[in-house]
Amino acid sequence: MNIYSHEISSYKLEVKKLTQEYESGSNGENRTHFSLALSNRSNLIIIGLCSLIEAYLYEVAEKEEENSSFKIDDIKGNGLSRLRLYLSRSNKIDFGTMKNWGSFSQVYILRNALVHGYGGLVDSVDIDRVRKALKVLKLEECLIADRRIRLSPPHLLSICLIVEDIVDKLNECT
């Protein structure tokens, strides 16, 4: 088990803890604070899962760069798209054979909306992309009042499984 698989296990454990808290309710706490705390932790899990894949891809790309005539910095773009393009062009990873890559790309759209929004509040310029991503992921009910992303533990678990599959595929490629 490498560090990435270990991290996935940790995220799944955190989702299990969130599930217990979610099911037990606020227990007399301020419901708004309780709900916001769960939502913020959920958002951080999505951001962390996406960062995990980005870090893994960067590690693979750095190793590939040692034997390649072109470098990561030769590729225009940023973040995930640049790494994907570099690894595809270097023939290190065939993303087309990863059945969950498309789903992960949609999760990454949610990640971007969470990072660039406020507490799950989607910026109006991102709303159409977020709606589409949630539809592809079959999580349309997670968009509340047409502006706020609210992911419950079952939604998080399904996203963890998507990311876990990507990590498993990356493990096979490296």
Side-chain angles (χ1 to χ4, degrees), residues 147-170:
R147 294 269 330 265
R148 184 171 295 281
I149 298 172
R150 290 279 195 223
L151 298 160
S152 69
H155 303 127
L156 291 172
L157 184 58
S158 70
I159 290 170
C160 277
L161 295 175
I162 290 168
V163 173
E164 182 175 43
D165 182 64
I166 298 297
V167 166
D168 290 344
K169 297 298 183 232
L170 292 172

Side-chain angles (χ1 to χ4, degrees), residues 14-15 18-19 22 34-50 106-114 119-122 130 133-135 137-144 148-160 162:
E14 182 63 20
V15 170
L18 266 175
T19 301
Y22 193 81
F34 177 79
S35 176
L36 189 57
L38 288 178
S39 179
N40 286 342
R41 285 171 59 199
S42 296
N43 294 347
L44 290 172
I45 287 171
I46 297 301
I47 293 165
L49 287 167
C50 289
Q106 301 307 308
V107 172
Y108 201 80
I109 289 170
L110 298 180
R111 174 251 179 230
N112 285 343
L114 292 168
L121 190 61
V122 179
V130 167
L134 289 169
K135 185 174 184 174
L137 294 167
K138 297 181 172 93
L139 300 175
E140 298 96 333
E141 71 274 9
C142 295
L143 191 61
I144 308 299
R148 184 171 295 281
I149 298 172
R150 290 279 195 223
L151 298 160
S152 69
H155 303 127
L156 291 172
L157 184 58
S158 70
I159 290 170
C160 277
I162 290 168

Side-chain angles (χ1 to χ4, degrees), residues 119-135:
L121 190 61
V122 179
D123 192 336
S124 58
V125 299
D126 295 325
I127 195 68
D128 289 336
R129 277 178 280 180
V130 167
R131 275 193 204 109
K132 181 182 174 198
L134 289 169
K135 185 174 184 174

Side-chain angles (χ1 to χ4, degrees), residues 77-95:
N78 55 27
L80 188 68
S81 62
R82 185 171 74 139
L83 292 168
R84 188 185 68 70
L85 187 57
Y86 178 81
L87 291 166
S88 293
R89 285 188 180 168
S90 65
N91 293 318
K92 180 64 179 171
I93 298 175
D94 181 358
F95 291 91

